[in-house]
Amino acid sequence: MRDAVDALPDRGRAAAIGAALLAWYDREARAMPWRVGPGERLAGARPDPYRVWLSEVMLQQTTVAAVRTPFLRFLERWPDVAALAAAEDAEVMAAWAGLGYYSRARNLLACARAVTARHGGRFPAEEAALRMLPGIGPYTAAAVAAIAFDRPAAVVDGNVERVVARLFAVETPLPGAKPRLAALAAALTPERRPGDHAQAMMDLGATVCTPRRPGCPACPLAGLCAGRARGLAEELPRRRPRPERPERRGIAYLVRRADGAWLLERRPPRGLLGGMLGWPGTDWTAAGDPPAPAPPLAADWRPVAAEVVHVFTHFRLRLSLAVAEVGGDAVPTRGSFVAPAAFSPAALPTVMRKAFELARPAFPPRAAAMPQRGPVSPGA
Ligand code: SF4
């Protein structure tokens, strides 16, 4: 099927879209802790590349609402790239808990160290140099170059793809349409205020041109939008159906010692949840290949009736749980006991926290054994 617009937009149309978008952004820009708004920019303020980069890494696959608190927590603890580069790996991994995709936290540290070692603690301004840094792909490089340094880089994420597909009525399904949408987004990127343009596109996609029920009547681009004119806005962008995620199974062992300590194990540095603390468990095996039990110590293990179901990017995990209570002399073959005062479920990755919440009723309450809510991370 041919798209409604096969050529790039003419200059006049691109300029009209850009002008309408920036005028709207000047009125409606969302306030964010990492953002220098249009009014502040006009007064001469410039964004801090460290904050822009940190927010962009945190925002991948996550919402603005979910990022605000961890962003401020990071900033308070590590106010600049040199401070983050000097942080302990385990501290950063614990502070990242809840944001998911832990490989990003490892790359965050590697990138902070590379900026410090290779660039004297200053982020480079060019997309090409940014892409040489660990964990910075095309999207993050473009976002940092545009927002922090006002370079005319086309910043294209899922929100922008959606807006552009609708604006130009691109009916080719994703992911095949990606190059076309990127070319259209690049053609719209202005020489003047490219950073504000990028943020305006993001805001429009997040607040007006939303995935379901786009707010076309309130949209500053309504009169310029081919998708709206053709009555296709809600249907776009089209997507090729996704294949089903395969399923994996595993067993996690939750054991509490008589003094209230919990047995935790740090996962290997590479691979899924690499370097994070979790409950000792079996390998996660493919469906049809049940996991072989691998308890971390001899105990009277009891199964928990409910299972944890957790969806990772490439598979769905069904995690069975076994619980036990042991005496003070129990010696595990793996992991270490973490005292209740040092145990914080909030510092565990989401799947491990889900396991704790499901298994919790199987452990009778005991004042000394219940974990303290708070940011303290276990040091096992
Ligand atoms: Fe999106 Fe509607 Fe605006 Fe077009 S008019 S960009 S479909 S909100």
Side-chain angles (χ1 to χ4, degrees):
M1 182 181 300
R2 280 171 67 82
D3 296 326
V5 180
D6 281 320
L8 293 177
D10 64 53
R11 282 190 174 202
R13 186 167 181 228
I17 290 172
L21 192 62
L22 280 174
W24 173 80
Y25 181 71
D26 286 344
R27 293 190 310 272
E28 306 286 344
R30 292 179 293 173
M32 297 181 188
W34 48 84
R35 176 177 279 179
V36 171
E40 296 164 283
R41 254 189 182 273
L42 207 60
R46 289 292 171 262
D48 173 0
Y50 172 65
R51 292 181 184 217
V52 173
W53 162 74
L54 183 61
S55 65
E56 287 300 334
V57 176
M58 286 187 168
L59 282 165
Q60 289 163 23
Q61 318 278 342
T62 320
T63 62
V64 167
V67 163
R68 280 181 200 274
T69 303
F71 175 82
L72 292 171
R73 195 170 62 223
F74 260 69
L75 210 61
E76 194 177 34
R77 204 148 161 201
W78 301 295
D80 54 38
V81 72
L84 183 59
E88 294 286 334
D89 290 35
E91 269 187 299
V92 174
M93 298 308 280
W96 191 267
L99 287 168
Y101 298 90
Y102 293 92
S103 59
R104 284 191 284 134
R106 283 193 295 280
N107 280 331
L108 190 83
L109 256 179
C111 183
R113 289 170 183 161
V115 168
T116 307
R118 294 185 216 159
H119 299 282
R122 298 169 74 91
F123 279 87
E126 303 300 334
E127 264 183 284
L130 285 160
R131 285 183 65 171
M132 302 297 285
L133 292 166
I136 297 199
Y139 168 79
T140 309
V144 174
I147 299 170
F149 298 105
D150 235 5
R151 300 296 156 113
V155 184
V156 187
D157 66 355
N159 272 334
V160 173
E161 284 180 341
R162 181 173 62 254
V163 173
V164 172
R166 289 171 176 174
L167 266 177
F168 296 96
V170 174
E171 294 194 62
T172 306
L174 285 167
K178 278 179 177 287
R180 172 104 193 102
L181 297 176
L184 287 165
L188 288 181
T189 301
E191 287 293 324
R192 197 180 141 266
R193 299 180 65 191
D196 283 348
H197 172 87
Q199 293 176 96
M201 288 289 274
M202 292 172 184
D203 280 14
L204 190 79
T207 63
V208 179
C209 196
T210 46
R212 291 194 196 129
R213 306 176 62 158
C216 301
C219 178
L221 308 183
L224 297 157
C225 180
R228 182 184 190 223
R230 295 181 54 195
L232 289 173
E234 269 190 71
E235 294 169 33
L236 299 177
R238 301 198 197 289
R239 290 174 198 282
R240 223 174 38 208
R242 276 195 184 181
E244 279 272 299
R245 281 189 177 89
E247 187 170 285
R248 292 196 199 168
R249 305 193 67 101
I251 308 170
Y253 297 92
L254 288 82
V255 56
R256 187 173 67 177
R257 203 168 57 183
D259 62 354
W262 296 89
L263 184 64
L264 291 172
E265 182 178 41
R266 193 170 295 287
R267 297 177 63 84
R270 303 244 162 254
L272 206 60
L273 310 181
M276 301 296 296
L277 276 178
W279 307 107
T282 62
D283 288 340
W284 298 342
T285 56
D289 178 17
L297 45 70
D300 180 16
W301 291 102
R302 292 172 285 129
V304 172
E307 287 180 324
V308 173
V309 177
H310 190 76
V311 178
F312 290 99
T313 315
H314 299 298
F315 64 93
R316 189 164 179 266
L317 176 68
R318 299 180 78 89
L319 196 60
S320 308
L321 307 178
V323 298
E325 300 219 54
V326 295
D329 54 354
V331 179
T333 53
R334 304 152 49 184
S336 322
F337 279 101
V338 174
F343 173 58
S344 164
L348 297 176
T350 307
V351 63
M352 299 296 170
R353 206 164 55 240
K354 283 186 184 174
F356 179 70
E357 293 303 334
L358 263 186
R360 204 171 178 150
F363 293 93
R366 40 189 302 154
M370 296 320 286
Q372 307 296 308
R373 293 263 176 210
V376 183
S377 76

